[in-house]
Amino acid sequence: MPNRALRLPTRALVQVRAPMGLFDATLGNVSANGARLLGVPDRMLRIGDFVAILCVGHQHPAEVRWHFDDTCGLMFEEPLSEYQIEVILGSRVLY
């Protein structure tokens, strides 16, 4: 397993539960350890905030690691499984 997780591009629509309230945003990319969040409203997030990303009926707790304009970087509290990433990407699991 590589040390650095591959960042996979996506445009998954998510809801963010943040200390300042709920808002809709888009994931720009996702990896097992984190994601880039796009479309963050002004003053809704700060570095160090803990948030919950709600996507496809699942909640993924994360910490805001960086923030610039309407974009921020998140680090998940627990790494996502391959299956969770596939669900977010809208991939089909082939059996």
Side-chain angles (χ1 to χ4, degrees):
M1 181 180 280
N3 289 337
R4 184 174 170 93
L6 178 65
R7 292 181 180 144
L8 302 166
T10 182
R11 285 295 181 262
L13 300 177
V14 298
Q15 187 175 62
V16 181
R17 182 175 291 136
M20 298 296 287
L22 289 173
F23 62 91
D24 295 326
T26 303
L27 291 182
N29 66 40
V30 66
S31 73
N33 296 314
R36 176 178 291 167
L37 195 60
L38 309 172
V40 177
D42 284 346
R43 295 187 270 288
M44 285 299 286
L45 292 180
R46 293 183 216 171
I47 294 170
D49 279 353
F50 287 91
V51 301
I53 303 302
L54 306 171
C55 184
V56 197
H58 297 280
Q59 180 171 293
H60 305 289
E63 180 184 358
V64 178
R65 299 302 296 241
W66 59 266
H67 191 293
F68 182 75
D69 288 339
D70 69 343
T71 303
C72 72
L74 304 174
M75 185 173 77
F76 296 122
E77 287 184 10
E78 297 288 329
L80 300 183
S81 68
E82 284 185 35
Y83 177 75
Q84 288 172 313
I85 292 171
E86 288 171 355
V87 168
I88 289 170
L89 296 175
S91 299
R92 292 190 189 108
V93 179
L94 303 176
Y95 294 100

